[in-house]
Amino acid sequence: MLQQGISTDGISLENPDDNLKKSFSELIEKKAEEAVTWLNSEDLNFAFLFVLEPIIKKHNILEHMSMRNRVALCITDEILTGSKNVPPEEFSASEYIQEINSTLKWMLSTGCANDGLSSDYDTVLDGCAALLVRVYGDKSVLPIITDLIFQRNRKGSYYNDLAWVFFESRYPYGLILIVSYFRSEELKDIELARKFLNFIPVA
């Protein structure tokens, strides 16, 4: 449960129109400042920001949100539409660039728990993973990427883009992450681990 505004206990992101969106809409209409404080909480999960984006835009509260949230929404829009976003006016380009890496990690690390929320949501997570590994050379997110790949495989969901990101990292430790799935009780995990270890991209 977040400390301010809306209790997330019992709120299912699987059907946000009937719970989260309604609760947030009521809060923002009655106590806009409290709603903004809730959104800017350090404990916020990216999935909530993603679901609430239409309401945030409708009520024109974007300018009152934290830099992290504003950058996250810019990244989301860019991944989904391909549009190139400029930094918020009050931030310099250098500040914006410095914020992107930490925001991408926040989006992926907090948002991964709700993987499968929607196709667009999964596309955003995949885009965050790709930017972190390909652009920023950030190997620290490989355990998250690996877990997402195997979780999606169990569910029969699309994981190819994440797999390519994983292998493009060319990080030896990544092989240890795959090997660990041989201890899984899930046959699909073992089969996928074997498949990956038989496929090592040529430099």
Side-chain angles (χ1 to χ4, degrees), residues 133-134 149 158-169 199 201:
V133 173
R134 294 170 180 166
I149 290 171
Y158 181 79
Y159 64 80
N160 288 357
D161 288 346
L162 283 178
W164 277 113
V165 170
F166 175 89
F167 282 113
E168 285 177 2
S169 73
F199 172 70

Side-chain angles (χ1 to χ4, degrees), residues 7-47:
S7 167
T8 57
D9 293 344
I11 289 181
S12 171
L13 284 169
E14 298 298 327
N15 192 15
D17 289 324
D18 291 339
N19 38 62
L20 179 61
K21 287 184 177 180
K22 179 180 178 180
S23 298
F24 186 74
S25 293
E26 292 175 351
L27 179 62
I28 200 170
E29 289 172 3
K30 297 176 181 178
K31 301 178 180 180
E33 185 175 341
E34 188 174 337
V36 172
T37 299
W38 182 82
L39 280 173
N40 290 336
S41 168
E42 289 296 320
D43 298 328
L44 188 75
N45 182 314
F46 169 64

